[in-house]
Amino acid sequence: MNCFKFKLVYTVLCLLAFEQAVAQRKIINKVFSDDTTRHNSFLPVPLFGYSQEAGLTLGAAGIYSFYTHKNDTVTKASQAYGVLGFSTKGRVQISLKTDVWAAHNKYHYITEAKFLNQPFNFYGIGNQTQKADEDKINLKRFRLNGELERRVARHFYLGGGAEYENLRFRDKEAGGIYSSAPNLVDRDGGEFLFLKATSFFDSRDNVPYPNKGFYARLQYGYAPNFFGSPNFEGSLLNADLRAFHSFSQSFKLALNATYEGLLSNNAVPFYLLRQLGNDQFMRGYYSGRFRDENLLTSQVELRYRPIPRFGLTAFGGTGKVFGQQSFADSQFKPTYGLGARFFFDLEKGLALRFDYALGEKPAGEKRVSGFYISLGEAF
């Protein structure tokens, strides 16, 4: 198994190193090819994205899509992503991620290495923070994650993994809510190691763009006291449910519900608090505008794909963050919007996504909104 992982990482790194050697004509042919056969492909592309947290993001990305076993129609497509990105709001991201399905889907592997240097806005803790309290912070984050799961029944997998993170924060505007809030624990940063048990059920017919099927993932992580106080010691529970249904060849329904919750005998460091809003769920909300110990969301998408290359999406949902004793006091927030898709790999369903979302209108503030350009479906 270690040999397999080494060969996979070595192959991806070699492909990324020779990105500039790929002829422009071949790149264009891959992007616009109508080939729907099962084949391995490497696509080096300019990185182009947008979100309200990062602004316009430019850089380079390499997507290696492959099958570990080509001689059947069962083994799912595996993917490896390499990203180097810089944004107009000062974000720098370097990451390498793999999502691998072994032959006949017997094993599933996930690995990720990521470095992030990111300015962001902090608004406090809770489900009712005020935009007037906005405080500018800078984050440096290093993350390593690995998971391995084995199929134990049809579509059902059990496994485990480990996740390590090191985070450092710097207050760019002294005197704001970040430095004065009394309930902020470990505001300068910290580190943690989660030991995880995972399980999931996956009957989707295609991972990047499902037409039908069901996905349910449950993950429990425990962080021992490896690094001393005030670093986090406690548990994290994640649940992710997804369902997909086809009304016709071009009209699909997608449903999603998520829960994330922290449990500890000590105060939870602020950087581990669950954050509402990003380009995948609760679109329109600035990521971290609302944060607390628990996060609950749900969303629905109607996906219309009139031609193979192009699709339209209408979506809506709701969600909130809350503390251990404040579920009833935290109101659900709305999200809704429209999107467009450009499919550059027809066989695997890989697409460039454009979404515009609206949310609540807090008293005395403009309505929450956000525009996103990213790769792949939201869920």
Side-chain angles (χ1 to χ4, degrees), residues 177-242:
I177 190 174
Y178 182 77
S179 58
S180 62
N183 57 344
L184 247 60
V185 177
D186 208 3
R187 69 187 76 215
D188 293 329
E191 57 186 331
F192 59 86
L193 175 66
F194 274 115
L195 305 177
K196 300 187 289 188
T198 64
S199 66
F200 73 91
F201 179 91
D202 189 0
S203 62
R204 295 172 295 178
D205 60 339
N206 182 280
V207 174
Y209 189 79
N211 296 293
K212 61 181 179 179
F214 183 73
Y215 174 88
R217 185 176 186 85
L218 182 65
Q219 185 177 86
Y220 171 79
Y222 177 71
N225 187 21
F226 284 151
F227 306 107
S229 180
N231 293 289
F232 180 71
E233 179 185 3
S235 301
L236 171 64
L237 179 65
N238 290 331
D240 186 353
L241 306 177
R242 309 178 187 184

Side-chain angles (χ1 to χ4, degrees), residues 25-43:
R25 182 177 58 83
K26 292 182 179 180
I27 296 174
I28 295 174
N29 288 340
K30 286 181 181 179
V31 173
F32 293 98
S33 172
D34 291 326
D35 185 8
T36 59
T37 60
R38 294 170 66 87
H39 64 281
N40 296 348
S41 63
F42 175 66
L43 184 63

